[in-house]
Every structure is written in C-alpha cells, then in structure tokens.
Amino acid sequence: MSMILLAVQDTYGTVLAQVGNPTPEAPPGSEKILQLVRYLTWFVLLSGITGIIYAGGKFAWEKWTGGGLESPKMVAGAMIGGVVATSAGTIMNAVIGT
C-alpha cells in the first residue's frame, strides 16, 4: 500500500502526518443501483437494435417506392449510438483510471 506524505512539517523537519491511499469501496445498497444500470444498459442495446431494424425496413420501403432516402441517416445514427452506449463503461474506466 502506498502512502501519501503530507507537506506539514514542524520546525525540526519531521513529518507530522501520513495519509494512506484508500481503496474504493461500494456504499451499502449499491447493488440495487448497479442492477438498475445493468437493466438500463440492456434497454439501450435493445432499443439500438430495434432502431436499426426499423431503419432497415424503412430504407427498403423508401427504395421500393422511390421516395427520398432519409433512413441511411437513421441507420448511421443508431450505429454510432450503439458504439457509444457499449463503450461507455470502457470510456469511464479510462477516465477514472481503475
């Protein structure tokens, strides 16, 4: 365990205090919050898959009827959103440093 030395010294140059580097600990009841986060992650992935399926169907309909092509933007948006949603945990771990 590494120690953090405080820059508090008396007139003789001795260190007056040392503070340990604490390890993170989940608070009581945090399992319910983590379960909610897992449910929300599942819902985000499900909605992304549904969005891609809907945009694919709309793309086929627009192609068949000869209408304007707006659905490729929907597919690209759903895919970019899916990449961000699935990598959010990795991004947060990189930012926090755990």
Side-chain angles (χ1 to χ4, degrees), residues 33-57:
I33 295 172
L34 291 175
Q35 184 178 15
L36 178 65
V37 169
R38 287 191 293 268
Y39 287 161
L40 290 174
T41 303
W42 180 84
F43 180 73
V44 166
L45 293 176
L46 178 66
S47 62
I49 291 169
T50 305
I52 291 173
I53 292 171
Y54 173 75

Side-chain angles (χ1 to χ4, degrees), residues 6-97:
L6 293 179
V8 178
Q9 296 182 351
D10 63 0
T11 56
Y12 301 109
T14 58
V15 176
L16 298 177
Q18 290 183 346
V19 178
N21 191 5
T23 57
E25 182 178 333
S30 64
E31 183 59 35
K32 296 290 185 184
I33 295 172
L34 291 175
Q35 184 178 15
L36 178 65
V37 169
R38 287 191 293 268
Y39 287 161
L40 290 174
T41 303
W42 180 84
F43 180 73
V44 166
L45 293 176
L46 178 66
S47 62
I49 291 169
T50 305
I52 291 173
I53 292 171
Y54 173 75
K58 187 174 180 183
F59 180 66
W61 180 259
E62 289 172 353
K63 200 73 162 146
W64 188 53
T65 60
L69 295 178
E70 296 177 9
S71 54
K73 295 176 195 173
M74 293 172 63
V75 171
M79 292 179 132
I80 291 170
V83 168
V84 170
T86 55
S87 62
T90 307
I91 293 170
M92 286 306 295
N93 283 336
V95 170
I96 293 173

